[in-house]
Amino acid sequence: MTAAARPARSLAAQERRFALALLAPALVVLLLTTTAPLVYLAWTSLNRIDLAMPWLSGFAGVDNYAKMGSDPRFWNSLLLTAVYTASTVVLQVILGLSLALLVLQIPRGQGALRIAAILPIVLAPVVVGLFWRTLVLAPDFGLVDMTTRALGLGSHNWLGDPQLALISVIAIHTWQWTPFAFLVLLASLATLPPDVYEAARLDRASAWQRFVHITLPLLRPAIVMVVILRTMTALSAFAAIFAATGGGPGSATEILNLYAYRTSFTELNLGYGSSLAVVLLAITLAISFLMFRLRRAR
Amino acid sequence: MRTATTAAARRRTRNLVLAAIAGVGVAVWVFPVLWGLLTSFKTERDVLAYPPAVFFTPTLANYREVLFGASSILPNLWSSFVVATAATALTMLFAIPAAYALGRLRYPYKRASGFYVLVTQMLPPVGLIIPYYLVLQKIGALDTYVGLAVIYLTFALPFAIWLMVSYFEDVPLEMEEAALLDRAGRMRALWHVILPQVRGGIAVTTIFVFLNAWNEFLFAVVLGGNRVRTVTVAMFNFISVEQTQWAKVAAGAMLAMLPVILIGIFAQRHIVKGLTVGAVKGGGRR
Amino acid sequence: MTAAARGSVRLEGVVKRHGTTTVLHGVDLAIEPGEFFVLLGPSGSGKTTTLRILAGLEDVSAGRVLMDGEEVTHAEPGERDVAMVFQSYALYPHMTVAGNVGFPLKMVGTDAATIERAVQEAAAKVGIGHLLARTPGQLSGGQQQRCALARAIVRQPRLFLLDEPLSNLDAKLRLETRLELHALQRALGATTVYVTHDQEEAMTLADRIAVFMDGRIVQVGTPRDVYARPQSVAVAGFIGTPPMNLLPARWEGDALVVDGQRLPAPSRAPVPRDVTLGIRPGHVTTATQGVAAHVERVEDLGDASIVTFVAGEHRIKQKSERAATVREGDTVALAFATDSLHLFDRATGARL
């Protein structure tokens, strides 16, 4: 046999080579399409690049970042991002968990509910935004306005009033993504061991005690995971708001994503837009790390 | 006897209340879409009727208009199909081998490489769009299928890798060892023994990647143009131009969303599993 | 080379380390062609690691592996001409039984007709010829085990490796399969290395046994050998159900002193010393004179009985093929046949 004559090439070394050969193409692609652009982004954020006034382009140091401190629109967008992310995530988890707990009690018809829940998830956010802007929230002829009129609550300009617009875009996001929390939590609930509940019943735990002392702790990993994933989606939300309000009225729904986009591609100020994008990336990554750290700590 | 009947009656009421609440949940999710479907068959006059017309003479005029009219969305559907298919194929081509290595093989810096993939998955698209725009502009790849499909890899690839990893991890550990002893070698062990066992996972991942690519908007609107205009961008432009023609908008939206809705309904079970695999297992294990 | 002469295995000073922990501390082993060789030991003793090193699934940290005189230390699993039955069977769930059994032949490019013939033959040998079209999911545990066996024998390797192949079967099936396995190995005449933690399995199947303890081979021999002359206290305590009674004793001249009682020793002590006295439960009898004890517990197994005695601060078990004649609480005297006593050094545990 030739094996003995061959220089000592162990199975582990062979496995290593095979693994690297399989992994390398994907890593190279990710390096080229995510990491290299990030470096480039960092560079452009240090430049003045204004497509409306190209003759002013050039290295600007940290000017773009310095400008943010005194930019009320930036601080407004940060605040809106926090409000938007926190409220949508909390709403999704509470609504999703409540509905999952309810549905678990229903002996039949869970399948129909699951199909219904899939529907919002598979829709394109931009189409969802358009739908809500026209058919659901439009004054006079939208579904919501027709309902409030029928209930005698009067007609409102749901996307035209700054405060109502913010509530509306939060509602849109919650509508589209609560099914995700619902489906995941429903599936997790179904995997909880029934004998634990039987034991708890024998130990005379009430329904509420069973929920607090058994369901919640057993479900916590899934809830934490849902919170993390939902936070990531909320932090990169763009298309639905863009389609529904475009960030307006004024800057009432202009979360950081929209501000960075509008600065770059509506006002064509790519340099300042880049620095906003860098801040956005830093915030998103920081929050992700924090959340994963929290999960591991527990 | 009496207590038994009241208990049964109570249970019945309870179930009715539960079903009613669940029914409201379903209605909230389904109704806007159903309303859109109804609207797409209405004339513009019926759309603006108050109280809303539930019974009306359905018309196919809106569909005729968005399909074959002056601003037909057929080319956009084609663009979306080409970009999404190409992006999906590319993604799976890179993701499957990488996920296999991450999920089943031993090699140095495994944790670090897995972490790197995870980080790339968290980058918000708006943060990356400026360099993509500048680079594609420089190399003349704006408004091309290749440019857009490659850019779609950035959000699809990390996601696909992690989803596939969870499927690879489900395959019993001894499979490769048995195959190696059966003289298959690494490559054929993967091809003949492992891949057939993750067919379901490949299908789910493919569906997800395709859905995400089909629904993508931001990259398409910035990096596309007159030649490559996906259906999501077309819908957006449509409403900006034809603010009040809701019936036509609805018809267009129905056509644009038809593929994903069909996939959603037919692959319902797989989608739920795909959503939960990462969440439930990731929460439990990693 | 004839088929019978094929399949000798040698391990020379094999060391296996995982990071800082050492799993195998220099294992030497020689297995003869055609032998049914059992690696026996408690979990974590290194027996499975040794088997996996033979398969080529684990690298060695030091030492050499030879098969039929050739070095295969760094050969890949597929190059060694060995077949393995996994504890979990590792059947390919997406292939039929025929596909599973034929897979190792298909991988070396055997033509379809030959594969089919070989598959039928192998399946017939293990009695699953009628199940070829099924998938593993449609088989019972016993049938899956046979399918794994067929996949191993179909290619007529020089060495069979079996990793606790019976542990996933229920008790009754395990006994039946054990006999069949033995008959099959005899019929094929191929060298077989078999890992188990079940000493009864080892005793009934093996031509020779290697006993593993803490990453070392502590004894190699025929089942009778290992049972009758355990080389250490550890082996003595591991083999036999219930295991050998072990009592501290002092060996002085012609006598053994246990709890102040003097018993005749099998031979004369060169110098007085502390020993561990071993006596199989089957060799413990009650007599009119001997070590005083009272009966703590009587377990009636139907066809046999096990009695636990307490003598001083030690417990002594007796096993007999008859119903117990004593009752719990009785006081008796225990006698040990002098020629069935085992003496071990108290400090090192080595047999004297």
Side-chain angles (χ1 to χ4, degrees):
Chain A
M1 209 174 276
T2 54
R6 205 179 297 151
R9 33 167 292 180
S10 65
L11 191 72
Q14 182 218 17
E15 184 170 340
R16 257 193 317 270
R17 273 195 304 277
F18 189 59
L20 291 178
L22 293 180
L23 196 63
L27 287 187
V28 168
V29 166
L30 286 179
L31 215 62
L32 287 179
T33 60
T34 64
T35 310
L38 279 184
V39 175
Y40 190 45
L41 178 72
W43 168 247
T44 53
S45 77
L46 298 178
N47 279 273
R48 174 163 187 157
I49 308 172
D50 196 336
L51 296 186
M53 293 174 270
W55 59 89
L56 289 175
S57 292
F59 187 75
V62 293
D63 281 6
N64 286 324
Y65 293 96
K67 200 167 119 193
M68 276 178 215
S70 57
D71 178 2
R73 236 174 116 188
F74 168 69
W75 293 107
N76 175 52
S77 73
L78 267 190
L79 177 69
L80 285 176
T81 302
V83 170
Y84 183 79
T85 307
S87 57
T88 53
V89 171
V90 168
L91 280 172
Q92 288 173 72
V93 171
I94 290 178
L95 292 175
L97 181 59
S98 313
L99 203 56
L101 285 167
L102 275 175
V103 166
L104 207 64
Q105 313 287 319
I106 301 174
R108 271 171 302 144
Q110 288 189 21
L113 251 166
R114 268 202 294 269
I115 293 188
I118 290 279
L119 206 54
I121 295 179
V122 299
L123 295 180
V126 66
V127 172
V128 168
L130 292 175
F131 244 92
W132 279 70
R133 169 168 155 194
T134 52
L135 297 174
V136 182
L137 292 175
D140 298 336
F141 304 108
L143 276 172
V144 170
D145 217 40
M146 285 201 258
T147 311
T148 52
R149 275 162 73 196
L151 294 175
L153 297 172
S155 173
H156 300 274
N157 192 353
W158 296 96
L159 295 171
D161 173 86
Q163 213 140 41
L164 286 178
L166 182 60
I167 294 173
S168 295
V169 293
I170 289 172
I172 296 172
H173 189 94
T174 308
W175 176 81
Q176 183 167 25
W177 296 112
T178 296
F180 180 100
F182 163 71
L183 289 170
V184 170
L185 294 174
L186 184 65
S188 310
L189 278 171
T191 64
L192 298 188
D195 50 353
V196 175
Y197 286 90
E198 284 158 12
R201 263 174 205 269
L202 291 174
D203 291 341
R204 290 176 293 188
S206 69
W208 175 250
Q209 285 171 321
R210 289 199 297 271
F211 174 70
V212 172
H213 295 292
I214 301 175
T215 309
L216 274 186
L218 287 178
L219 215 53
R220 185 154 83 188
I223 293 177
V224 170
M225 202 60 210
V226 167
V227 168
I228 292 177
L229 293 173
R230 297 298 81 217
T231 307
M232 296 299 107
T233 307
L235 282 174
S236 53
F238 173 79
I241 303 180
F242 189 65
T245 67
S251 55
T253 56
E254 190 180 68
I255 62 171
L256 190 49
N257 275 317
L258 272 120
Y259 184 36
Y261 177 87
R262 279 172 139 188
T263 305
S264 311
F265 295 102
T266 310
E267 290 150 28
L268 300 179
N269 190 347
L270 288 179
Y272 191 49
S274 295
S275 63
L276 290 172
V278 168
V279 171
L280 170 70
L281 286 164
I283 289 175
T284 307
L285 287 182
I287 290 177
S288 327
F289 284 132
L290 214 70
M291 291 191 131
F292 276 95
R293 173 82 22 115
L294 271 177
R295 189 180 64 153
R296 210 161 297 149
R298 274 171 192 178
Chain B
M1 202 61 216
R2 242 189 70 199
T3 53
T5 48
T6 51
R10 225 182 9 237
R11 195 165 329 123
R12 234 187 345 265
T13 344
R14 198 187 78 119
N15 280 347
L16 271 177
V17 171
L18 285 175
I21 296 173
V24 170
V26 179
V28 167
W29 282 328
V30 174
F31 200 65
V33 182
L34 220 54
W35 189 246
L37 186 66
L38 276 183
T39 306
S40 72
F41 290 109
K42 289 180 179 177
T43 60
E44 297 296 347
R45 211 158 40 111
D46 282 330
V47 172
L48 300 182
Y50 186 85
V54 180
F55 301 101
F56 56 92
T57 328
T59 169
L60 286 174
N62 302 313
Y63 284 95
R64 219 174 295 131
E65 181 66 25
V66 292
L67 277 178
F68 309 112
S71 53
S72 162
I73 65 164
L74 275 179
N76 310 115
L77 285 168
W78 175 247
S79 279
S80 280
F81 178 76
V82 171
V83 173
T85 307
T88 307
L90 273 177
T91 300
M92 296 310 285
L93 192 71
F94 287 109
I96 291 174
Y100 176 70
L102 265 173
R104 296 188 74 80
L105 299 178
R106 282 167 299 183
Y107 61 92
Y109 301 110
K110 180 167 167 158
R111 276 181 66 95
S113 52
F115 189 65
Y116 174 67
V117 175
L118 198 64
V119 169
T120 58
Q121 192 185 343
M122 289 168 189
L123 304 174
V126 171
L128 290 166
I129 187 75
I130 295 169
Y132 291 159
Y133 177 77
L134 291 175
V135 170
L136 290 192
Q137 189 190 40
K138 236 167 241 171
I139 62 175
L142 280 178
D143 198 13
T144 61
Y145 285 115
V146 177
L148 206 53
V150 168
I151 293 305
Y152 276 14
L153 271 176
T154 55
F155 64 84
L157 189 53
F159 168 79
I161 290 175
W162 273 112
L163 192 52
M164 280 310 300
V165 164
S166 60
Y167 285 97
F168 278 120
E169 281 175 343
D170 278 349
V171 177
L173 270 176
E174 299 87 3
M175 280 299 152
E176 279 95 352
E177 300 186 341
L180 289 181
L181 278 160
D182 285 344
R183 303 179 283 200
R186 285 275 168 203
M187 199 59 213
R188 285 189 301 176
L190 172 57
W191 186 256
H192 288 287
V193 173
I194 305 298
L195 283 188
Q197 296 189 48
V198 294
R199 269 182 306 204
I202 293 176
V204 173
T205 311
T206 307
I207 287 173
F208 268 96
V209 171
F210 186 86
L211 284 181
N212 287 339
W214 181 274
N215 287 342
E216 209 286 328
F217 172 70
L218 174 65
F219 291 154
V221 76
V222 176
L223 308 176
N226 287 328
R227 261 176 301 158
V228 182
R229 179 173 293 155
T230 66
V231 76
T232 47
V233 178
M235 285 307 302
F236 182 79
N237 292 346
F238 199 74
I239 196 129
S240 312
V241 179
E242 321 229 9
Q243 282 275 8
T244 51
Q245 305 206 310
W246 290 5
K248 251 187 264 169
V249 170
M254 283 301 139
L255 285 175
M257 290 298 103
L258 191 65
V260 292
I261 290 176
L262 287 183
I263 292 175
I265 290 171
F266 284 116
Q268 182 239 133
R269 254 167 216 296
H270 294 293
I271 289 188
V272 175
K273 188 161 178 251
L275 290 176
T276 47
V277 155
V280 175
K281 267 192 24 189
R285 219 202 277 169
R286 233 164 271 134
Chain C
M1 209 183 281
T2 62
R6 216 163 62 115
S8 77
V9 176
R10 285 180 68 85
L11 293 182
E12 294 176 355
V14 167
V15 176
K16 176 70 185 176
R17 279 184 287 266
H18 284 303
T20 53
T21 57
T22 304
V23 190
L24 290 177
H25 309 261
V27 165
D28 294 289
L29 202 57
I31 301 172
E32 302 302 322
E35 210 175 9
F36 200 122
F37 197 90
V38 171
L39 311 183
L40 174 67
S43 58
S45 61
K47 56 189 194 305
T48 298
T49 305
T50 306
L51 190 81
R52 290 170 58 82
I53 285 172
L54 287 175
L57 295 172
E58 303 257 1
D59 289 321
V60 298
S61 307
R64 300 206 302 158
V65 182
L66 292 94
M67 291 182 184
D68 291 328
E70 301 166 84
E71 172 155 9
V72 295
T73 315
H74 300 292
E76 284 164 29
E79 300 172 334
R80 298 186 176 205
D81 195 18
V82 302
M84 182 159 165
V85 174
F86 289 82
Q87 185 171 10
S88 63
Y89 312 141
L91 298 176
Y92 309 129
H94 55 292
M95 299 179 195
T96 60
V97 170
N100 266 280
V101 177
F103 189 71
L105 297 179
K106 188 176 153 197
M107 286 299 109
V108 288
T110 314
D111 66 277
T114 315
I115 292 182
E116 202 188 326
R117 217 173 322 117
V119 166
Q120 301 238 343
E121 204 177 302
K125 271 190 192 137
V126 296
I128 54 166
H130 57 297
L131 301 172
L132 287 176
R134 300 222 189 143
T135 57
Q138 301 166 319
L139 300 181
S140 71
Q143 289 166 340
Q144 289 181 10
Q145 200 263 355
R146 280 150 205 268
C147 180
L149 264 179
R151 188 172 70 186
I153 65 176
V154 73
R155 40 188 285 210
Q156 304 174 325
R158 63 173 156 195
L159 183 61
F160 285 118
L161 304 171
L162 294 91
D163 186 8
E164 309 226 12
L166 305 182
S167 61
N168 286 332
L169 303 178
D170 64 56
K172 186 167 167 290
L173 196 56
R174 189 153 54 215
L175 293 182
E176 288 172 23
T177 314
R178 198 162 80 191
L179 293 174
E180 289 172 13
L181 203 57
H182 193 251
L184 183 68
Q185 195 270 342
R186 283 291 179 263
L188 295 170
T191 314
T192 302
V193 181
Y194 184 109
V195 163
T196 183
H197 65 270
D198 181 338
Q199 41 104 7
E200 194 180 310
E201 240 171 72
M203 298 295 285
T204 51
L205 284 170
D207 293 321
R208 284 195 300 153
I209 296 175
V211 184
F212 279 74
M213 298 265 167
D214 299 324
R216 289 189 176 83
I217 293 182
V218 288
Q219 187 167 2
V220 179
T222 63
R224 178 108 310 267
D225 232 19
V226 174
Y227 184 81
R229 294 183 54 80
Q231 290 302 305
S232 68
V233 171
V235 177
F238 184 66
I239 307 270
T241 338
M244 185 182 279
N245 295 301
L246 296 167
L247 308 167
R250 180 140 181 99
W251 189 16
E252 291 173 343
D254 285 331
L256 286 161
V257 183
V258 182
D259 280 344
Q261 307 256 10
R262 291 180 76 85
L263 302 172
S267 61
R268 196 180 163 75
V271 284
R273 64 193 297 183
D274 286 328
V275 295
T276 299
L277 168 67
I279 177 83
R280 293 264 173 221
H283 296 141
V284 175
T285 53
T286 49
T288 49
Q289 215 183 337
V291 179
H294 75 268
V295 179
E296 184 188 48
R297 182 95 176 82
V298 176
E299 293 164 79
D300 192 342
L301 306 179
D303 58 345
S305 59
I306 295 169
V307 181
T308 309
F309 299 101
V310 177
E313 53 197 47
H314 310 294
R315 281 198 167 65
I316 299 172
K317 290 201 180 239
Q318 178 204 42
K319 186 178 185 185
S320 63
E321 302 302 310
R322 296 165 282 106
T325 52
V326 295
R327 281 180 309 174
E328 287 171 12
D330 286 357
T331 302
V332 295
L334 298 178
F336 313 132
T338 307
D339 55 0
S340 53
L341 293 180
H342 304 260
L343 294 181
F344 304 97
D345 184 276
R346 177 85 63 83
T348 65
R351 184 178 188 86
L352 296 174

